[in-house]
Amino acid sequence: MAIREIRVEGDPVLKKVSREIDIINERTITLLNDMAETMYHANGIGLAAPQVGVLRRVVTLNVGSGLIEMINPVIVESEGECNSTEACLSVPNKVGDVLRPTKVVVEYLDRTGEKKRMEAEELAAIAICHELDHLDGVLYVDKAVAVNEIADGE
Ligand code: CO
């Protein structure tokens, strides 16, 4: 496993649309392992592959109930609306308010290729929406209703 460099706002890779994984191979597993390590090292709750410069539809999450790895995730149901205050490892020293659904259902493949379906609410739903946006080249600051600078180290 290895910690990868997190790309930050201004890097064109963050604006690109990621491609699906066709075949889960050793490279995919290494990517998943490295993304989890990189996410934990940066104290993040979610990371999308383009944030480490890989334009593939892969996401890691940990919103408090353990590591979740998603390959080719798709939101198939979405309901409600809430105001979410978000930050992003690729947008240092800022927080912003974004409108998000309160509940989503997401389908994806796990690292073994098994199809999974997950219902998520509140923080988990928000984190999934935030990370899946990265796969389409969208940062939360692109859709935020307000963004504020915060002091470094806060
Ligand atoms: Co982010």
Side-chain angles (χ1 to χ4, degrees):
M1 302 228 286
I3 293 167
R4 300 201 188 187
E5 184 196 343
I6 296 178
R7 307 299 181 91
V8 296
E9 200 182 8
D11 189 321
V13 78
L14 294 171
K15 293 287 184 189
K16 293 185 175 159
V17 176
S18 292
R19 287 189 297 145
E20 285 197 346
I21 295 272
D22 298 322
I23 299 163
I24 298 169
N25 58 24
E26 221 167 289
R27 284 172 70 91
T28 320
I29 301 304
T30 301
L31 175 63
L32 283 166
N33 291 342
D34 288 355
M35 283 175 61
E37 190 174 1
T38 304
M39 176 179 79
Y40 287 128
H41 182 257
N43 293 315
I45 61 168
L47 193 70
Q51 292 183 275
V52 292
V54 178
L55 288 169
R56 290 292 186 168
R57 303 188 82 83
V58 174
V59 161
T60 55
L61 287 169
N62 187 341
V63 289
S65 50
L67 179 65
I68 300 166
E69 299 171 327
M70 296 183 175
I71 297 168
N72 300 343
V74 178
I75 291 171
V76 294
E77 285 175 40
S78 168
E79 66 178 65
E81 190 176 72
C82 65
N83 187 63
S84 156
T85 301
E86 299 185 14
C88 178
L89 295 174
S90 292
V91 188
N93 306 322
K94 285 183 187 173
V95 293
D97 295 329
V98 190
L99 291 174
R100 297 287 191 194
T102 52
K103 186 179 168 184
V104 297
V105 178
V106 61
E107 291 182 350
Y108 59 95
L109 301 178
D110 71 9
R111 62 161 62 204
T112 71
E114 191 178 327
K115 195 169 180 182
K116 299 279 188 179
R117 184 182 169 92
M118 175 186 165
E119 285 188 22
E121 292 182 63
E122 298 174 351
L123 179 62
I126 288 164
I128 288 166
C129 293
H130 178 118
E131 300 313 330
L132 267 61
D133 274 351
H134 277 298
L135 304 182
D136 291 320
V138 175
L139 299 176
Y140 84 85
V141 287
D142 298 332
K143 59 204 299 187
V145 293
V147 178
N148 295 302
E149 303 272 346
I150 53 173
D152 202 0
E154 213 173 292

